[in-house]
Amino acid sequence: MTEQPPETRVDAAARYKEIIGLARKAAEDLRAWEQAREQQLHGEIAAAEQNVHAAAEAEQAMAERARRWWSMARDNVARLSWLDVGEEPTPVASARGDQASRYADDIRPAYHELTQAVLKLGWRARK
């Protein structure tokens, strides 16, 4: 086996150290990126959890509001013996949350129409 000249060994050792240094830097950069991404994801998860909590509260408030309107409507027609009110309406799974205020706004005029219709009935129809 022939021995390599000394300058070739120095060049190889220097190149090896350079490669090891680049690998170490790449590993540190990757670790820093992963830590930053972890913090970003934790922030996004926390924000999403807050959004879910707010949506659940809004859904509960809307359901309570709908129950109050239903109760008022049921009480309004309670004197009509010939009208079967039926069961309380249940939430519709396909309803869009971003349309909730529009849905709620549609309830008031419908309730007032019902009230006016009941008031227009003669006293005999109300028994």
Side-chain angles (χ1 to χ4, degrees):
M1 215 191 279
T2 61
E3 195 169 304
Q4 296 179 345
E7 62 274 353
T8 305
R9 277 184 263 149
V10 171
D11 289 343
R15 181 71 180 134
Y16 176 77
K17 287 180 181 179
E18 179 184 353
I19 291 170
I20 293 298
L22 290 172
R24 184 175 295 120
K25 170 114 173 63
E28 289 170 359
D29 290 348
L30 178 61
R31 187 172 16 266
W33 177 85
E34 287 175 337
Q35 289 171 344
R37 181 69 175 139
E38 177 187 25
Q39 289 175 351
Q40 178 186 7
L41 289 174
H42 281 296
E44 289 176 12
I45 289 169
E49 287 172 346
Q50 287 177 341
N51 288 342
V52 168
H53 182 70
E57 286 181 349
E59 180 182 16
Q60 189 175 20
M62 182 59 73
E64 182 56 35
R65 187 174 174 188
R67 276 192 286 281
R68 282 195 311 267
W69 279 106
W70 175 254
S71 178
M72 290 179 353
R74 186 185 59 232
D75 292 346
N76 201 334
V77 297
R79 297 177 310 226
L80 305 176
S81 60
W82 49 268
L83 180 65
D84 180 25
V85 177
E87 295 294 318
E88 182 176 312
T90 58
V92 176
S94 62
R96 297 177 46 127
D98 59 339
Q99 298 289 321
S101 62
R102 195 189 104 227
Y103 297 148
D105 291 342
D106 290 346
I107 293 174
R108 183 181 303 274
Y111 173 77
H112 287 297
E113 276 185 51
L114 172 68
T115 303
Q116 292 303 312
V118 169
L119 289 175
K120 287 179 183 177
L121 291 173
W123 67 271
R124 289 183 188 202
R126 288 190 221 153
K127 289 192 175 199

